Amino acid sequence: MNKPLEAVIFDLDGVITDTAEYHYLAWKALADQLGIPFSRQFNEELKGISRMDSLEKILTHGGKQARFSSEEKDQLAAKKNEHYLNLINRITPADLLPGIWKFVADINAAGVKLGIASASKNAMTVLEALGIREQFDIIVDARTICHGKPDPEIFITAAKLLEAEPSACIGIEDATAGVEAIKAAGMFAIAIGPKEQFEKADLVYNDTSELSFTEVAKRYRLKE
Ligand code: BG6
Ligand code: MG
């Protein structure tokens, strides 16, 4: 049986709110301008990945990585971010994904700590717009870490700040790179999305409306 659960650490984009869709739209617009094919399937590879790493992947995908100087790449990334900021401008608490508010409230009520581990530099803006920032004890975003997901650094840092043992934490992600980061951190991993995409996860739900803290805590407890 596992140690008593100490903390639950959430990814933000695509788990708490559907900003994954806004990232997709903003990257797609940039890729279209650059004449680079951009499918939803390819977009899966960008989920959880930092802004600059995503841009590099897109340029490589289009065979154009050597065409731009680093200043030009900064400008392309800034352009994507400007578009993304325009899209998230309209976020309100109504944009919390189904079941998230109750799931977070139930974790709080059980005396289990709550953290955010987001690769986004816009994490704070999004959490404030959703009105859910205060529910989390700590927030670790791309500004605080050196290595992005699938490196475990962001989840390990979150656990440290929460004064929790990684093996007594649950991480929740919608990205393959994110689930890899959670497992590399030695945590119990919950994935949101199609089962076949997340072989490494301990528990997979199709969408957030299926999250129940009673069920999750039970599955965590029973994990070998
Ligand atoms: C992650 C998203 O949370 O943050 C990625 O899954 C995104 O799609 C990354 O590229 C970086 O976000 P931002 O807001 O710093 O450009
Ligand atoms: Mg995500």
Side-chain angles (χ1 to χ4, degrees):
M1 203 179 284
N2 264 328
K3 295 179 189 160
L5 179 62
E6 293 177 18
V8 181
I9 302 168
F10 286 71
D11 170 46
L12 170 65
D13 296 318
V15 171
I16 290 188
T17 186
D18 199 12
T19 32
E21 182 64 15
Y22 295 147
H23 281 294
Y24 163 75
L25 291 172
W27 282 129
K28 174 146 177 39
L30 186 75
D32 286 350
Q33 278 169 30
L34 296 172
I36 295 176
F38 195 92
S39 63
R40 283 201 179 261
Q41 195 191 349
F42 173 65
N43 183 60
E44 286 303 312
E45 292 179 35
L46 305 181
K47 286 188 179 171
I49 308 290
S50 76
R51 195 180 306 164
M52 285 316 284
D53 287 349
S54 299
L55 177 65
E56 289 293 346
K57 270 183 183 272
I58 293 166
L59 295 177
T60 304
H61 181 66
K64 298 194 174 182
Q65 68 276 29
R67 296 231 190 132
F68 300 94
S69 66
S70 73
E71 288 76 28
E72 285 167 333
K73 286 179 184 173
D74 285 347
Q75 283 163 12
L76 291 174
K79 192 171 179 184
K80 181 266 173 179
N81 193 50
E82 206 177 301
H83 185 176
Y84 177 71
L85 287 174
N86 275 328
L87 293 170
I88 63 170
N89 212 1
R90 44 180 110 136
I91 288 181
T92 72
D95 292 302
L96 281 169
L97 279 168
I100 287 294
W101 184 268
K102 178 171 177 1
F103 186 58
V104 165
D106 289 349
I107 296 169
N108 253 326
V112 171
K113 293 173 201 164
L114 279 151
I116 293 280
S118 172
S120 171
K121 291 185 176 159
N122 296 302
M124 216 57 106
T125 312
V126 172
L127 287 164
E128 301 234 336
L130 290 168
I132 200 169
R133 174 158 137 59
E134 299 303 318
Q135 304 302 313
F136 293 91
D137 299 294
I138 59 105
I139 291 151
V140 184
D141 66 18
R143 279 172 242 259
T144 350
I145 52 144
C146 302
H147 308 288
K149 301 168 189 176
D151 190 284
E153 183 187 358
I154 196 162
F155 283 98
I156 302 268
T157 306
K160 234 180 230 154
L161 290 171
L162 289 166
E163 297 178 4
E165 277 288 317
S167 62
C169 293
I170 293 176
I172 309 185
E173 268 286 351
D174 70 320
T176 317
V179 168
E180 278 176 33
I182 295 171
K183 290 316 296 174
M187 299 178 182
F188 184 93
I190 299 179
I192 307 294
K195 225 181 185 94
E196 47 307 343
Q197 194 189 322
F198 295 109
E199 280 165 11
K200 291 188 184 163
D202 297 292
L203 208 48
V204 185
Y205 292 108
N206 269 318
D207 65 73
T208 55
S209 67
E210 295 168 17
L211 285 167
S212 138
F213 182 59
T214 315
E215 176 65 18
V216 162
K218 189 169 116 200
R219 296 291 296 266
Y220 163 83
R221 245 190 345 266
L222 296 175
K223 172 120 200 324
E224 292 294 302

